Amino acid sequence: MKISIELTLLPLNNNFEDHIITFIKRLRASEFTVLENPMSTQIYGEYDLLMPFLTSEIKKSFENQENVVVNLKIVKSDRSNYEPHF
């Protein structure tokens, strides 16, 4: 089953940019389609492959930071080709 995930990593410290950049680079290096904008990152793929990968990457981020928030939105479909019609 294909899924689309929008996520935002929010380190709660002054040196937040380095943590975000490292996280996004790890996502980019994966086999999954990754799209970015200034507010969030979207990642697309097969549920059974993407979820364990993402769980592992989030855990790494949690281990490397004292306080961090991750917001996730998961949609059951591949929305990587979505284009607004307005």
Side-chain angles (χ1 to χ4, degrees), residues 2-7 24 26-36 41-46 50 53-54 78-82:
K2 297 278 188 181
I3 61 170
S4 304
I5 300 177
E6 177 183 64
L7 61 130
I24 291 173
R26 290 196 318 257
L27 297 182
R28 286 180 185 166
S30 73
E31 64 185 272
F32 304 105
T33 301
V34 176
L35 301 175
E36 303 158 33
T41 301
Q42 293 82 38
I43 189 165
Y44 308 90
E46 286 291 330
L50 181 52
F53 166 77
L54 200 52
D78 183 340
R79 307 285 292 163
S80 60
N81 293 320
Y82 172 78

Side-chain angles (χ1 to χ4, degrees), residues 10 15 20 22 26 31 42-43 46 52 60 66 72 82:
L10 303 162
N15 187 24
I20 294 170
T22 299
R26 290 196 318 257
E31 64 185 272
Q42 293 82 38
I43 189 165
E46 286 291 330
K60 289 176 193 173
E66 183 65 27
L72 292 173
Y82 172 78

Side-chain angles (χ1 to χ4, degrees), residues 16-66:
F16 62 90
E17 288 180 349
D18 291 339
H19 295 293
I20 294 170
I21 290 168
T22 299
F23 183 73
I24 291 173
K25 284 183 176 181
R26 290 196 318 257
L27 297 182
R28 286 180 185 166
S30 73
E31 64 185 272
F32 304 105
T33 301
V34 176
L35 301 175
E36 303 158 33
N37 65 54
M39 299 301 291
S40 65
T41 301
Q42 293 82 38
I43 189 165
Y44 308 90
E46 286 291 330
Y47 182 93
D48 290 335
L49 300 174
L50 181 52
M51 291 304 291
F53 166 77
L54 200 52
T55 299
S56 173
E57 293 304 321
I58 291 169
K59 183 177 181 179
K60 289 176 193 173
S61 292
F62 282 3
E63 291 172 341
N64 292 326
Q65 300 171 67
E66 183 65 27

